[in-house]
């Protein structure tokens, strides 16, 4: 619980700099190279996902009501709905939701961006993802909206993929405005992931009803699936690992994922598309993105492009 409190305090501190950083995000005089613009707009695909999932989960509605101008007229997500959350979890998720609205605004103040892509956030899509992770159908099908625990497990799917993308993008950015924006986004995305992992770690050995499978095993299976779909080796770890894979090779608890030096893993846009499409192929849409992502990078990989 001490870890949770520490992370929450960190999150409270990070957004406090928002007003002072607005001018940096919208510095229209800055000459941002096209390569930076591509890398800055690509994360909109995941930020839309996170904003909609968290808004619907906490409030029962999404960007169309909460921040309609940010949608760019893109289609309303499929299947998203209000989750059955306890008051504490709902409060945390609502904070995440509003943070994601800010992320969308910050990116769109810097690059032109694109309209919200079609998202499938239905229970069926999450169920299929979990079935793929376990290599068999779960019975009953996994429903992310049915309980706080299920919703947190579903949330385990989201911010971590985004933060590895920001880590990967950072080294490729040339402009200081671009790097500042990505650093700021990465800080909060990392905080969200840490909160989710800490809340789940507290229940790591608890069995998820009615499956009789522990929370830790759910996270391990999800992480293994993402590693498999990404096709680039180990860049994802569950909450409990062999001691040899834990921090300094000395501990099984893995509340934060990192490499042998406890440094965050990095992913490319192509790896991210393989994972969120659920196809293992950046050119084959599916899963949460039935028609694929948007932006120059995502569109360049579509087989029909």
């Amino acid at each position: 619980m001490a870890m949770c409190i520490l992370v929450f305090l960190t999150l409270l501190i990070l957004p406090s700099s928002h007003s002072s950083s607005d001018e940096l995000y919208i510095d229209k005089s800055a000459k941002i190279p096209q390569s930076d613009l591509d890398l800055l707009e690509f994360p909109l695909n995941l930020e839309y996902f996170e904003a909609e999932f968290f808004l619907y989960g906490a409030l029962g509605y999404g960007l169309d009501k909460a921040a309609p101008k940010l949608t760019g007229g893109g289609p309303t997500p499929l299947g998203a709905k209000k989750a059955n959350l306890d008051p504490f979890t709902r409060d945390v998720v609502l904070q995440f939701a509003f943070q994601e609205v800010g992320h969308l605004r910050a990116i769109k103040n810097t690059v032109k961006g694109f309209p919200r892509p079609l998202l499938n956030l239905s229970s069926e899509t999450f169920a299929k993802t979990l079935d793929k992770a376990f290599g068999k159908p779960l019975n009953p099908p996994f429903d992310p909206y049915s309980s706080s625990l299920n919703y947190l497990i579903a949330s385990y799917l989201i911010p971590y993929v985004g933060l590895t993308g920001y880590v990967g993008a950072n080294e490729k950015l040339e402009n200081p405005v671009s790097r500042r924006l990505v650093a700021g986004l990465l800080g909060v995305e990392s905080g969200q992931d840490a909160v989710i992992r800490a809340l789940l770690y507290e229940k790591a050995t608890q069995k998820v009803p009615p499956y009789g499978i522990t929370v830790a095993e759910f996270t391990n299976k999800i992480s293994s699936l993402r590693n498999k779909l990404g096709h680039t080796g180990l860049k994802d770890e569950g909450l409990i690992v062999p001691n040899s894979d834990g921090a300094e090779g000395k501990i099984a608890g893995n509340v934060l994922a990192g490499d042998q030096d406890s440094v965050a893993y990095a992913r490319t846009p192509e790896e991210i598309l393989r994972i969120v499409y659920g196809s293992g192929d950046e050119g084959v849409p599916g899963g949460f993105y039935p028609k694929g992502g948007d932006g120059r990078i995502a569109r360049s990989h579509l087989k029909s492009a």
Side-chain angles (χ1 to χ4, degrees):
M1 187 56 69
M3 173 64 77
C4 296
I5 295 172
L6 177 60
V7 175
F8 285 133
L9 289 174
T10 302
L11 280 178
L12 289 173
I13 293 171
L14 285 169
S16 66
S17 64
H18 171 76
S19 60
S20 63
S21 63
D22 275 350
E23 291 184 5
L24 183 57
Y25 290 151
I26 60 175
D27 181 4
K28 302 303 182 182
S29 66
K31 300 296 183 181
I32 301 178
Q34 185 63 52
S35 58
D36 277 21
L37 295 177
D38 292 345
L39 289 169
L40 291 177
E41 75 167 2
F42 176 79
L44 284 171
N45 288 295
L46 293 181
E47 299 290 359
Y48 277 125
F49 184 130
E50 295 174 38
E52 295 290 8
F53 184 62
F54 292 141
L55 282 168
Y56 271 100
L59 299 173
Y61 57 82
L63 289 168
D64 287 333
K65 181 176 179 180
K69 291 183 180 179
L70 291 177
T71 69
T76 299
L78 304 173
K81 60 184 178 181
K82 189 173 184 179
N84 181 27
L85 304 177
D86 62 71
F88 176 80
T89 304
R90 181 182 181 276
D91 178 48
V92 172
V93 171
L94 187 57
Q95 292 180 52
F96 288 176
F98 290 141
Q99 289 163 6
E100 295 305 331
V101 171
H103 289 182
L104 288 169
R105 184 175 59 248
I107 295 173
K108 287 195 161 195
N109 279 345
T110 306
V111 298
K112 182 179 179 180
F114 48 81
R116 174 182 56 197
L118 180 63
L119 299 167
N120 188 339
L121 304 181
S122 66
S123 298
E124 291 76 16
T125 303
F126 282 94
K128 289 177 182 177
T129 302
L130 268 296
D131 288 350
K132 187 176 294 186
F134 279 94
K136 63 180 181 180
L138 294 180
N139 186 24
F142 183 84
D143 182 359
Y145 302 105
S146 66
S147 69
S148 293
L149 183 56
N150 279 23
Y151 193 85
L152 287 173
I153 291 171
S155 298
Y156 181 86
L157 289 164
I158 309 170
Y160 182 74
V161 176
L163 80 86
T164 58
Y166 284 131
V167 174
N170 190 56
E171 65 182 275
K172 301 175 183 177
L173 296 170
E174 301 176 26
N175 187 278
V177 173
S178 306
R179 292 195 295 269
R180 170 62 182 90
L181 174 58
V182 166
L185 294 167
L186 175 58
V188 176
E189 291 290 331
S190 300
Q192 291 178 354
D193 180 64
V195 170
I196 292 166
R197 291 181 72 101
L199 292 175
L200 289 172
Y201 186 71
E202 193 172 29
K203 304 176 186 294
T205 60
Q206 178 179 319
K207 292 185 177 180
V208 180
Y211 306 110
I213 302 169
T214 66
V215 169
E217 185 64 11
F218 265 89
T219 65
N220 290 343
K221 292 293 187 181
I222 292 170
S223 288
S224 293
L225 176 64
R226 292 191 295 214
N227 284 326
K228 179 181 178 180
L229 293 172
H231 297 310
T232 52
L234 177 64
K235 294 190 176 182
D236 221 300
E237 300 170 338
L239 293 175
I240 296 179
V241 298
N243 276 27
S244 58
D245 293 338
E248 295 301 292
K250 296 179 179 180
I251 193 166
N254 199 42
V255 73
L256 296 178
D259 65 14
Q260 67 271 18
D261 297 315
S262 295
V263 174
Y265 294 104
R267 282 193 171 106
T268 65
E270 290 74 22
E271 292 171 66
I272 290 172
L273 292 173
R274 294 169 201 158
I275 292 168
V276 299
Y277 289 173
S279 65
D281 185 334
E282 61 269 33
V284 180
F288 300 107
Y289 295 82
K291 296 184 178 180
D294 206 342
R296 282 166 55 99
I297 293 176
R299 289 197 308 271
S300 73
H301 293 293
L302 292 179
K303 300 298 186 185
S304 59

